[in-house]
Amino acid sequence: MTGCYLAAQFGGNLRDMAGTWIKPQGGVMGWFDRLKSSKIVDKGNAGHASEGEQNAMGLLEKGSFLEQQGLLDDALSLYDKAIRLAPDFAKAHFYRGNILLEKGDAEAAQAAYEKALLYKPDSAPAHYNLGNAYLRMGRHLAAVAAYQQALRLKPDFTDVEVALGVAQEELGQLEAAAASYRRALALRPDYVEVHLNLGAILIRLGRNDTAEVSYRQALEIAPDDVESLKALG
Protein backbone atom coordinates (compact mmCIF):
# COMPACT_ATOMS: atom_id res chain seq x y z
CA MET A 1 0.00 0.00 0.00
CA THR A 2 1.41 3.36 -1.00
CA GLY A 3 2.56 5.67 1.72
CA CYS A 4 1.46 3.86 4.88
CA TYR A 5 4.41 4.23 7.24
CA LEU A 6 2.76 2.42 10.14
CA ALA A 7 1.29 -0.71 8.58
CA ALA A 8 4.30 -2.89 9.37
CA GLN A 9 4.19 -2.21 13.08
CA PHE A 10 0.74 -3.50 13.94
CA GLY A 11 0.45 -6.97 15.28
CA GLY A 12 2.32 -5.77 18.32
CA ASN A 13 0.15 -5.88 21.40
CA LEU A 14 -0.65 -4.73 24.88
CA ARG A 15 0.70 -6.52 27.90
CA ASP A 16 -1.91 -5.84 30.54
CA MET A 17 -5.68 -6.28 30.38
CA ALA A 18 -6.07 -3.97 33.36
CA GLY A 19 -5.19 -0.90 31.33
CA THR A 20 -1.42 -0.48 30.98
CA TRP A 21 -1.08 0.92 27.49
CA ILE A 22 1.99 0.58 25.32
CA LYS A 23 3.13 3.60 23.38
CA PRO A 24 5.37 3.21 20.33
CA GLN A 25 8.96 4.00 21.22
CA GLY A 26 12.06 4.54 19.13
CA GLY A 27 10.38 4.77 15.73
CA VAL A 28 7.96 2.57 13.86
CA MET A 29 9.39 -0.81 14.77
CA GLY A 30 9.51 0.18 18.44
CA TRP A 31 5.88 -0.87 18.66
CA PHE A 32 7.05 -4.43 19.19
CA ASP A 33 8.88 -3.52 22.38
CA ARG A 34 6.99 -4.78 25.40
CA LEU A 35 6.48 -2.56 28.40
CA LYS A 36 8.82 -3.93 31.07
CA SER A 37 7.09 -2.40 34.06
CA SER A 38 3.50 -3.43 33.38
CA LYS A 39 1.70 -4.79 36.41
CA ILE A 40 0.41 -8.34 36.19
CA VAL A 41 -1.83 -8.47 39.23
CA ASP A 42 -4.57 -5.98 39.96
CA LYS A 43 -4.06 -5.74 43.71
CA GLY A 44 -7.49 -4.29 44.19
CA ASN A 45 -9.05 -7.52 42.99
CA ALA A 46 -6.54 -10.01 44.35
CA GLY A 47 -8.50 -10.58 47.55
CA HIS A 48 -11.55 -11.70 45.55
CA ALA A 49 -9.66 -14.21 43.42
CA SER A 50 -10.24 -17.90 43.82
CA GLU A 51 -7.38 -20.09 44.98
CA GLY A 52 -6.93 -21.28 41.41
CA GLU A 53 -6.73 -17.70 40.13
CA GLN A 54 -4.28 -16.72 42.86
CA ASN A 55 -2.01 -19.60 41.85
CA ALA A 56 -2.50 -18.70 38.20
CA MET A 57 -1.51 -15.09 38.92
CA GLY A 58 1.75 -16.35 40.36
CA LEU A 59 2.39 -18.28 37.18
CA LEU A 60 1.65 -15.18 35.10
CA GLU A 61 4.23 -13.23 37.10
CA LYS A 62 6.84 -15.91 36.50
CA GLY A 63 5.87 -16.19 32.84
CA SER A 64 6.10 -12.44 32.36
CA PHE A 65 9.62 -12.45 33.77
CA LEU A 66 10.60 -15.23 31.36
CA GLU A 67 8.95 -13.35 28.50
CA GLN A 68 11.01 -10.28 29.26
CA GLN A 69 14.12 -12.45 29.01
CA GLY A 70 13.02 -13.58 25.56
CA LEU A 71 12.11 -17.10 26.73
CA LEU A 72 8.79 -17.15 24.94
CA ASP A 73 8.24 -20.90 24.88
CA ASP A 74 8.93 -21.21 28.61
CA ALA A 75 6.57 -18.31 29.32
CA LEU A 76 3.89 -19.86 27.13
CA SER A 77 4.19 -23.12 29.06
CA LEU A 78 3.50 -21.28 32.31
CA TYR A 79 0.53 -19.44 30.81
CA ASP A 80 -0.89 -22.78 29.64
CA LYS A 81 -0.44 -24.15 33.15
CA ALA A 82 -2.23 -21.09 34.55
CA ILE A 83 -5.17 -21.79 32.24
CA ARG A 84 -5.33 -25.38 33.44
CA LEU A 85 -5.54 -24.11 37.01
CA ALA A 86 -8.16 -21.46 36.21
CA PRO A 87 -9.78 -22.10 32.81
CA ASP A 88 -11.99 -19.00 33.04
CA PHE A 89 -9.13 -16.66 34.01
CA ALA A 90 -9.31 -14.09 31.21
CA LYS A 91 -5.89 -12.57 31.84
CA ALA A 92 -4.16 -15.91 31.34
CA HIS A 93 -5.78 -16.33 27.92
CA PHE A 94 -4.85 -12.74 27.10
CA TYR A 95 -1.18 -13.29 27.98
CA ARG A 96 -1.19 -16.50 26.00
CA GLY A 97 -2.47 -14.57 22.98
CA ASN A 98 0.31 -12.01 23.36
CA ILE A 99 2.99 -14.69 23.19
CA LEU A 100 1.38 -16.40 20.22
CA LEU A 101 1.08 -13.14 18.32
CA GLU A 102 4.70 -12.31 19.03
CA LYS A 103 5.69 -15.76 17.76
CA GLY A 104 3.80 -15.07 14.53
CA ASP A 105 0.84 -17.41 15.07
CA ALA A 106 -1.93 -14.87 14.55
CA GLU A 107 -4.66 -17.49 14.13
CA ALA A 108 -3.90 -19.09 17.50
CA ALA A 109 -3.58 -15.63 19.06
CA GLN A 110 -7.03 -14.78 17.73
CA ALA A 111 -8.47 -17.83 19.47
CA ALA A 112 -6.75 -16.90 22.74
CA TYR A 113 -8.05 -13.32 22.66
CA GLU A 114 -11.54 -14.53 21.85
CA LYS A 115 -11.34 -16.82 24.89
CA ALA A 116 -10.20 -13.88 27.03
CA LEU A 117 -13.16 -11.85 25.78
CA LEU A 118 -15.52 -14.70 26.54
CA TYR A 119 -14.68 -14.23 30.21
CA LYS A 120 -14.03 -10.45 30.13
CA PRO A 121 -15.99 -8.91 27.25
CA ASP A 122 -15.38 -5.33 28.41
CA SER A 123 -11.58 -5.48 27.98
CA ALA A 124 -10.51 -2.77 25.53
CA PRO A 125 -6.94 -4.16 25.33
CA ALA A 126 -8.23 -7.62 24.41
CA HIS A 127 -10.43 -6.20 21.63
CA TYR A 128 -7.46 -4.16 20.43
CA ASN A 129 -5.08 -7.12 20.39
CA LEU A 130 -7.74 -9.21 18.65
CA GLY A 131 -7.81 -6.50 15.99
CA ASN A 132 -4.03 -6.74 15.68
CA ALA A 133 -4.32 -10.50 15.13
CA TYR A 134 -6.92 -9.92 12.42
CA LEU A 135 -4.73 -7.26 10.82
CA ARG A 136 -1.77 -9.63 10.81
CA MET A 137 -3.94 -12.16 8.94
CA GLY A 138 -5.13 -9.57 6.41
CA ARG A 139 -8.69 -9.64 7.77
CA HIS A 140 -9.07 -5.88 7.63
CA LEU A 141 -12.85 -5.63 8.06
CA ALA A 142 -12.70 -7.80 11.18
CA ALA A 143 -9.80 -5.69 12.46
CA VAL A 144 -11.83 -2.50 11.98
CA ALA A 145 -14.73 -3.99 13.95
CA ALA A 146 -12.45 -5.07 16.80
CA TYR A 147 -10.75 -1.66 16.97
CA GLN A 148 -14.08 0.13 16.97
CA GLN A 149 -15.26 -2.01 19.87
CA ALA A 150 -12.07 -1.18 21.78
CA LEU A 151 -12.75 2.51 21.19
CA ARG A 152 -16.31 2.19 22.42
CA LEU A 153 -14.87 0.86 25.67
CA LYS A 154 -11.98 3.36 25.82
CA PRO A 155 -12.58 6.38 23.55
CA ASP A 156 -9.22 8.06 24.28
CA PHE A 157 -7.15 5.03 23.24
CA THR A 158 -4.61 6.66 20.89
CA ASP A 159 -2.98 3.51 19.60
CA VAL A 160 -6.31 2.01 18.59
CA GLU A 161 -7.16 5.11 16.58
CA VAL A 162 -3.85 4.68 14.74
CA ALA A 163 -4.41 0.96 14.15
CA LEU A 164 -7.95 1.68 12.97
CA GLY A 165 -6.55 4.19 10.49
CA VAL A 166 -4.07 1.62 9.18
CA ALA A 167 -6.82 -0.98 8.67
CA GLN A 168 -9.09 1.55 6.99
CA GLU A 169 -6.26 2.66 4.73
CA GLU A 170 -5.65 -0.98 3.75
CA LEU A 171 -9.33 -1.19 2.80
CA GLY A 172 -9.08 1.98 0.70
CA GLN A 173 -11.30 3.90 3.11
CA LEU A 174 -9.13 6.99 2.88
CA GLU A 175 -11.52 9.57 4.35
CA ALA A 176 -12.21 7.33 7.35
CA ALA A 177 -8.49 6.62 7.79
CA ALA A 178 -7.69 10.34 7.70
CA ALA A 179 -10.34 10.95 10.36
CA SER A 180 -8.85 8.21 12.56
CA TYR A 181 -5.35 9.65 12.20
CA ARG A 182 -6.64 13.12 13.07
CA ARG A 183 -8.29 11.77 16.23
CA ALA A 184 -5.02 10.07 17.15
CA LEU A 185 -3.11 13.31 16.63
CA ALA A 186 -5.61 15.22 18.76
CA LEU A 187 -4.68 12.82 21.56
CA ARG A 188 -0.95 12.73 20.76
CA PRO A 189 0.17 15.65 18.59
CA ASP A 190 3.84 14.58 18.53
CA TYR A 191 3.23 11.25 16.76
CA VAL A 192 5.50 11.71 13.72
CA GLU A 193 4.49 8.56 11.86
CA VAL A 194 0.83 9.47 12.04
CA HIS A 195 1.55 12.90 10.56
CA LEU A 196 3.32 11.07 7.72
CA ASN A 197 0.45 8.66 7.17
CA LEU A 198 -2.04 11.50 7.17
CA GLY A 199 0.05 13.45 4.69
CA ALA A 200 0.28 10.44 2.36
CA ILE A 201 -3.49 9.96 2.45
CA LEU A 202 -4.14 13.62 1.76
CA ILE A 203 -1.90 13.45 -1.31
CA ARG A 204 -3.87 10.44 -2.54
CA LEU A 205 -7.03 12.48 -2.01
CA GLY A 206 -5.58 15.34 -4.05
CA ARG A 207 -5.21 17.70 -1.09
CA ASN A 208 -1.57 18.53 -1.57
CA ASP A 209 -1.57 21.81 0.33
CA THR A 210 -3.07 20.17 3.42
CA ALA A 211 -0.67 17.25 3.04
CA GLU A 212 2.25 19.69 3.09
CA VAL A 213 1.01 20.96 6.46
CA SER A 214 1.14 17.42 7.85
CA TYR A 215 4.67 16.86 6.58
CA ARG A 216 5.85 20.19 7.98
CA GLN A 217 4.33 19.32 11.34
CA ALA A 218 6.26 16.05 11.27
CA LEU A 219 9.46 17.99 10.52
CA GLU A 220 8.85 20.36 13.42
CA ILE A 221 8.75 17.35 15.72
CA ALA A 222 11.62 15.46 14.03
CA PRO A 223 13.73 17.89 11.94
CA ASP A 224 15.86 15.09 10.48
CA ASP A 225 12.96 12.85 9.46
CA VAL A 226 13.86 11.48 6.02
CA GLU A 227 10.32 10.72 4.90
CA SER A 228 9.13 14.26 5.62
CA LEU A 229 12.10 15.73 3.78
CA LYS A 230 11.42 13.52 0.77
CA ALA A 231 7.75 14.47 0.73
CA LEU A 232 8.57 18.16 0.79
CA GLY A 233 11.09 17.74 -2.03
Side-chain angles (χ1 to χ4, degrees), residues 26 61 68 80 172 212:
E61 288 181 326
Q68 291 171 21
D80 287 341
E212 182 177 345

mmCIF file of all heavy atoms in Angstrom, residues 26 61 68 80 172 212:
data_model
loop_
_atom_site.group_PDB
_atom_site.id
_atom_site.type_symbol
_atom_site.label_atom_id
_atom_site.label_comp_id
_atom_site.label_asym_id
_atom_site.label_seq_id
_atom_site.Cartn_x
_atom_site.Cartn_y
_atom_site.Cartn_z
ATOM 1 N N GLY A 26 10.891 4.741 19.964
ATOM 2 C CA GLY A 26 12.062 4.544 19.132
ATOM 3 C C GLY A 26 11.746 4.297 17.662
ATOM 4 O O GLY A 26 12.429 3.541 16.995
ATOM 5 N N GLU A 61 3.077 -14.045 36.709
ATOM 6 C CA GLU A 61 4.227 -13.226 37.102
ATOM 7 C C GLU A 61 5.528 -13.889 36.657
ATOM 8 O O GLU A 61 6.413 -13.241 36.098
ATOM 9 C CB GLU A 61 4.215 -13.023 38.612
ATOM 10 C CG GLU A 61 3.123 -12.089 39.099
ATOM 11 C CD GLU A 61 3.171 -11.896 40.609
ATOM 12 O OE1 GLU A 61 3.524 -12.850 41.325
ATOM 13 O OE2 GLU A 61 2.861 -10.794 41.060
ATOM 14 N N GLN A 68 10.122 -11.433 29.354
ATOM 15 C CA GLN A 68 11.010 -10.276 29.265
ATOM 16 C C GLN A 68 12.445 -10.694 28.980
ATOM 17 O O GLN A 68 13.224 -9.917 28.430
ATOM 18 C CB GLN A 68 10.936 -9.467 30.559
ATOM 19 C CG GLN A 68 9.600 -8.772 30.751
ATOM 20 C CD GLN A 68 9.459 -8.148 32.122
ATOM 21 O OE1 GLN A 68 10.451 -7.891 32.794
ATOM 22 N NE2 GLN A 68 8.232 -7.907 32.541
ATOM 23 N N ASP A 80 -0.020 -21.617 29.856
ATOM 24 C CA ASP A 80 -0.889 -22.781 29.640
ATOM 25 C C ASP A 80 -1.214 -23.464 30.965
ATOM 26 O O ASP A 80 -2.345 -23.909 31.190
ATOM 27 C CB ASP A 80 -0.213 -23.764 28.688
ATOM 28 C CG ASP A 80 -0.197 -23.283 27.242
ATOM 29 O OD1 ASP A 80 -1.008 -22.395 26.916
ATOM 30 O OD2 ASP A 80 0.624 -23.786 26.459
ATOM 31 N N GLY A 172 -8.813 0.901 1.637
ATOM 32 C CA GLY A 172 -9.083 1.981 0.696
ATOM 33 C C GLY A 172 -10.068 3.003 1.206
ATOM 34 O O GLY A 172 -10.537 3.850 0.435
ATOM 35 N N GLU A 212 1.000 19.004 2.772
ATOM 36 C CA GLU A 212 2.247 19.691 3.095
ATOM 37 C C GLU A 212 2.257 20.144 4.549
ATOM 38 O O GLU A 212 3.290 20.078 5.225
ATOM 39 C CB GLU A 212 2.444 20.894 2.169
ATOM 40 C CG GLU A 212 3.751 21.636 2.427
ATOM 41 C CD GLU A 212 3.970 22.776 1.449
ATOM 42 O OE1 GLU A 212 3.279 22.823 0.414
ATOM 43 O OE2 GLU A 212 4.837 23.627 1.747
#
